[in-house]
Amino acid sequence: MRMKLLAIETSTEFCSLALWLDGDLFVREELASQRHSQLLLPMLQTLLTDNAMTLVDLDCIAFGAGPGSFTGLRIACGVAQGLAYGAHKPVVAVSTLNAVAENAGGDKVIAALDARMGEIYHASYEKTADVWREINRPTLCLPENAPAVTGHDWLGAGSGFLAHGESLSQRYSGQLRETMGSARPSAREIAVLGIAAWNAGLAVEAAQARPVYIRDKVAMTRRERAHSL
């Protein structure tokens, strides 16, 4: 039986969709700025039509759960839930930081996304036999306080390395082999990781799908967060 999965990713300025058909990937992506909600459904219809598919033909729907843009995460989760409800399909939530690691292409990746307010969303991963292992769980932190990793030859990936490259290079002095500030989550990586999550039995009913914000209190000041640690 062919595995058919739809992936949705809207946590960045890009709006992207991917259709996994038993190992073949079909991707549509546009630079959306703030137009994700306007672009997403027309792009989806085109993607399905081009591949002679309907939502009912899918086995699962995966989405970039975060962290990332609050509005973008709500759009991805809400659309995934709505489509899954209507088609009676399960849902898989995929970490955008893990998607950054997958996009970067290394086996030891420190993923960092610019979280604004002088902070980053951070996680680190190692891949063995095509399986990712989480070394440091996703967190919100100052670049200079990023969680430590052991060893060398780490690849630093994500917009956090563009926005805070100097601080992160100092934090991981002697441990980074290179950095890829352009690495970002896209539906292609959400699809690949979604298949792995599906095979691991991590799919849930649509009602259980949730975004991963990490920054629960948007208005909390840096001083308040420091005192809460």
Side-chain angles (χ1 to χ4, degrees):
M1 182 181 72
R2 299 183 73 195
M3 177 64 192
K4 299 174 284 292
L5 178 143
L6 172 69
I8 302 169
E9 166 50 33
T10 58
S11 71
T12 72
E13 66 273 23
F14 287 88
C15 180
S16 63
L17 292 164
L19 192 61
W20 172 289
L21 299 179
D22 197 31
D24 293 325
L25 264 173
F26 303 89
V27 180
R28 291 191 67 86
E29 183 172 86
E30 291 191 34
L31 182 60
S33 185
Q34 304 297 320
R35 299 179 298 129
H36 298 81
S37 59
Q38 302 170 36
L39 295 172
L40 189 56
L41 293 181
M43 287 172 59
L44 170 61
Q45 186 58 60
T46 300
L47 182 63
L48 292 174
T49 300
D50 287 350
N51 289 279
M53 295 276 296
T54 68
L55 291 173
V56 176
D57 296 322
L58 298 172
D59 295 299
C60 184
I61 298 173
F63 72 99
S69 158
F70 292 102
T71 300
L73 298 183
R74 288 194 294 269
I75 290 172
C77 183
V79 170
Q81 283 183 311
L83 297 176
Y85 272 127
H88 305 289
K89 302 298 178 182
V91 174
V92 171
V94 176
S95 167
T96 51
L97 287 165
N98 200 169
V100 169
E102 177 72 23
N103 179 266
D107 293 330
K108 296 172 61 177
V109 181
I110 298 169
L113 291 170
D114 183 15
R116 311 301 181 185
M117 298 170 65
E119 296 173 310
I120 58 170
Y121 298 120
H122 175 284
S124 60
Y125 303 89
E126 286 194 38
K127 180 189 278 189
T128 303
D130 291 328
V131 176
W132 285 106
R133 180 168 65 95
E134 187 179 278
I135 305 302
N136 289 309
R137 64 181 179 81
T139 190
L140 175 71
C141 62
L142 296 172
E144 58 267 30
N145 295 335
V149 296
T150 59
H152 306 279
D153 296 321
W154 287 88
L155 173 60
S159 60
F161 282 89
L162 283 180
H164 306 283
E166 183 176 351
S167 293
L168 287 170
S169 293
Q170 291 178 358
R171 179 70 180 98
Y172 297 112
S173 178
Q175 294 183 284
L176 297 173
R177 63 177 174 85
E178 65 175 303
T179 61
M180 290 182 57
S182 61
R184 60 178 175 84
S186 76
R188 180 183 299 274
E189 288 75 47
I190 300 300
V192 171
L193 297 172
I195 291 294
W198 166 273
N199 290 334
L202 299 179
V204 300
E205 294 181 0
Q208 297 177 270
R210 295 287 186 275
V212 178
Y213 294 122
I214 296 184
R215 178 181 280 147
D216 294 323
K217 183 179 178 184
V218 180
M220 183 183 286
T221 66
R222 185 181 299 176
R223 180 177 297 177
E224 286 175 321
R225 280 192 292 277
H227 284 307
S228 69
L229 296 178

